[in-house]
Structure formats: structure tokens, C-alpha cells
Amino acid sequence: MNRLHALAAVGAVAVVVAIALYPSQSAGDSQTSSGTRETTAPATVEASPAFNEQRLNSEPVASSSASPETRQALETLLRQLNDARSYRQFIAAALKDAPRGGFIYAAEASQQCDKFQSARDSTKPQATSNQALQSAALLEARCDITSDEFFERLSAALSAEKATLNSDPLFAMLVPNSSGKSREDSLRQARALLDSGDPIAMESLVHLDFRDPIGETPYFDGHHYRSPADRDLMDDAWLLVECSLGLVCDAEATQTLLLCATRDWCGSDVAEALQIGRGPDGTFVQVQTLANSLLSAIRSKRAAAFVPAS
């Protein structure tokens, strides 16, 4: 199951749990995210080995369906996620704005920390270079909230917002596919995600196969990414897509640190880290090519590219 469908399903369950267990508890911390850094415009991926010389400024997808207030809230959440140095503080602040995307953004931060912790708990060989150890230390400091605490805060926030959570445009876009729909339903969901212009929500675009209710197998433009190698290719391509849609991907970005700490692919940004890691087997160009194809479909809002014909 892809990460956002899983989180949306957890959210639906958590509404019931919150009503039962947290009838009067508030969302908790009132502290907002702290620590900001100057960032440059993210790069548009270029399908060329000389990508460092051919970067262009990103062109975020404009949202046409969300209200001005929701668009402003999503822009604020993205900026706060990019700047966050304490995910505990970011999650507390995001959950206070759950009806306008805060739930999904809080869940995304928690999911990144879970990914880091899972890699540390894995029996696979650990990255041991000095740079990887430094990246791990930065991630450990940033991930200053446990999964248990996240779910406690989530349940409290959902209890407080139970009457308005369904108005969260991102939550509403991610939930429908969980029960299995028709092709037209998946197309409508794809159009809504494309219209949102949100880089976090749009990750679900490649998990909209209406014949695959839990979105287990990524799909794009006529191809199902079923094998582990194919899934890894899609995952890495999507990292580049997110960088081009507004997620900061510099040396201090969570995704860059994760690549270094968990895979020993250490670079000045996500693209360089992927080039270092995938350069020896020649697959980085494949990642770039797929990322560019995804970006083209997203910017032209070609919903049919994300839903199989039959």
C-alpha cells in the first residue's frame, strides 16, 4: 500500500478511535514550527546526463479547485514542512489546521520519520560513512516525536475536528480509492489531485488503478511497476518530481538526508544523491526520464496517464 492511501485509511479509523478515547482532549502543543533557512527555487528535472548544467526553475502546478483560503493554507504548510527542524513542533502546528490539509502534512512528516526508523531497525547492512552518520544524527534530532505520540496527537486532533475533517480537500481526495472504484471514479480522483497542485497529495496519482483498491502497484502511462526494481525506479523518480513541485531538496532536506543515512547515497541535494547512487549501474538516466514524463503529465493535467484504460 502506498504511503498516503495508508495514512488516509488510518485517518478514517482514527476518527472512530478519537471519538471513543479522546472526547474532550485538545490537539496539544500550541508551539509552531521553528527554524527556517534560505532556500532556492527547486530544480526542474532534465533527462540528460549533464543535468547539473541544465536545471531550470520549477513551475508549480496551479490549483484551480481549492478555495483561496485552502490554497494559502497548503502553501503555508508546505513552507513550514520545508523549514521544519522539529517534526514534533511541525506536527502539532499542522494538526491545528487539519481541515485544510494539516492532517496529511502531519502524517507525511511522521511517515518520513518512520521510514528512517525502519531503516535503522532493519537487518540490512547499515550505512557507515561519516557523512551517512552525520545525516542520521540530523534526522534523529528532527524526528523528535515517536509514532505512539503522533497517533495520540492525531486522535486528539481528529476528535476536535470530527465535524469538519471531511472538508479537508487533501483527505477527501485520498480516501475514495480505498474501497475500489470504477475507472471514471479514478479519473475524477486523478483530476482532483492534479487540480490540487499539492506535491504531497499528488504522490497518490501513481496509485489510482481502479482494479487495485489498496493501490499496491504503481501505474503510469501504460506500465505497471510491479517488480521491486520497478517500484524503486518509481519511488526515486517521484523524489525528483516532488523537488520540482515545491518540496525543498537541498543538502539539509529530509529526503536528501534519508538517501544518505539509509542508502549511503550522499550528495548536495536529492538529484546529486540519486546520481551518485544510481550512476554505477546506469539507471539514473531512467529515473530522470520517468520523472520528466511524470512532470509533463502533471503539468498538462493529463489524468488518463494515471488510470489504466481497462
Side-chain angles (χ1 to χ4, degrees):
M1 182 183 296
N2 75 86
R3 70 179 188 236
L4 288 179
H5 282 154
L7 294 169
V10 168
V13 173
V15 172
V16 178
V17 174
I19 294 171
L21 299 181
Y22 302 91
S24 61
Q25 185 175 343
S26 69
D29 242 327
S30 61
Q31 192 172 9
T32 58
S33 302
S34 63
T36 60
R37 69 180 185 275
E38 293 183 2
T39 58
T40 56
T44 294
V45 184
E46 290 293 331
S48 162
F51 72 99
N52 280 323
E53 299 175 2
Q54 298 188 32
R55 289 185 177 174
L56 303 173
N57 288 336
S58 67
E59 300 173 9
V61 177
S63 172
S64 61
S65 59
S67 69
E69 294 79 9
T70 296
R71 288 198 296 271
Q72 183 176 2
L74 292 177
E75 290 170 1
T76 298
L77 284 165
L78 179 59
R79 183 174 65 253
Q80 290 175 341
L81 179 64
N82 282 332
D83 289 340
R85 288 298 175 270
S86 164
Y87 276 175
R88 174 193 295 270
Q89 294 177 15
F90 171 75
I91 287 170
L95 288 176
K96 289 182 178 298
D97 209 10
R100 290 192 294 272
F103 163 68
I104 295 300
Y105 268 80
E108 170 68 10
S110 177
Q111 184 76 357
Q112 295 307 316
C113 292
D114 287 347
K115 188 183 299 183
F116 170 57
Q117 192 59 51
S118 295
R120 296 192 68 173
D121 294 342
S122 172
T123 57
K124 295 179 180 179
Q126 302 289 307
T128 57
S129 69
N130 287 337
Q131 198 168 352
L133 294 175
Q134 290 171 4
S135 294
L138 288 172
L139 284 171
E140 189 166 1
R142 188 169 301 176
C143 293
D144 53 354
I145 182 170
T146 66
S147 292
D148 287 345
E149 185 178 359
F150 166 70
F151 280 107
E152 289 174 3
R153 289 172 179 263
L154 173 64
S155 295
L158 289 173
S159 178
E161 299 289 351
K162 59 181 179 292
T164 57
L165 183 60
N166 287 336
S167 67
D168 178 351
L170 300 190
F171 184 86
M173 289 172 199
L174 296 172
V175 169
N177 201 52
S178 62
S179 60
K181 302 291 182 178
S182 68
R183 181 172 188 270
E184 188 55 40
D185 290 330
S186 289
L187 283 170
R188 278 194 292 268
Q189 191 176 357
R191 294 185 192 108
L193 287 166
L194 289 168
D195 282 344
S196 78
D198 186 82
I200 302 302
M202 282 194 289
E203 189 268 347
S204 279
L205 280 168
V206 295
H207 299 280
L208 295 181
D209 187 345
F210 57 97
R211 299 162 303 184
D212 181 14
I214 62 172
E216 186 67 26
T217 302
Y219 170 86
F220 174 65
D221 210 16
H223 182 65
H224 287 89
Y225 291 77
R226 292 191 173 93
S227 72
D230 274 357
R231 292 188 190 194
D232 286 345
L233 184 73
M234 175 60 78
D235 287 345
D236 288 349
W238 197 263
L239 291 179
L240 295 180
V241 169
E242 289 180 326
C243 295
S244 289
L245 296 179
L247 201 66
V248 168
C249 294
D250 60 16
E252 296 183 12
T254 296
Q255 296 290 11
T256 310
L257 296 176
L258 278 170
L259 287 169
C260 185
T262 65
R263 296 162 80 174
D264 222 354
W265 296 0
C266 305
S268 61
D269 58 20
V270 165
E272 185 175 79
L274 289 173
Q275 186 187 39
I276 289 170
R278 286 185 170 273
D281 63 9
T283 57
F284 180 63
V285 173
Q286 295 177 37
V287 170
Q288 286 180 299
T289 300
L290 177 56
N292 276 314
S293 296
L294 287 162
L295 281 169
S296 176
I298 288 169
R299 287 179 172 148
S300 63
K301 298 190 177 182
R302 189 161 56 94
F306 299 99
V307 181
S310 60

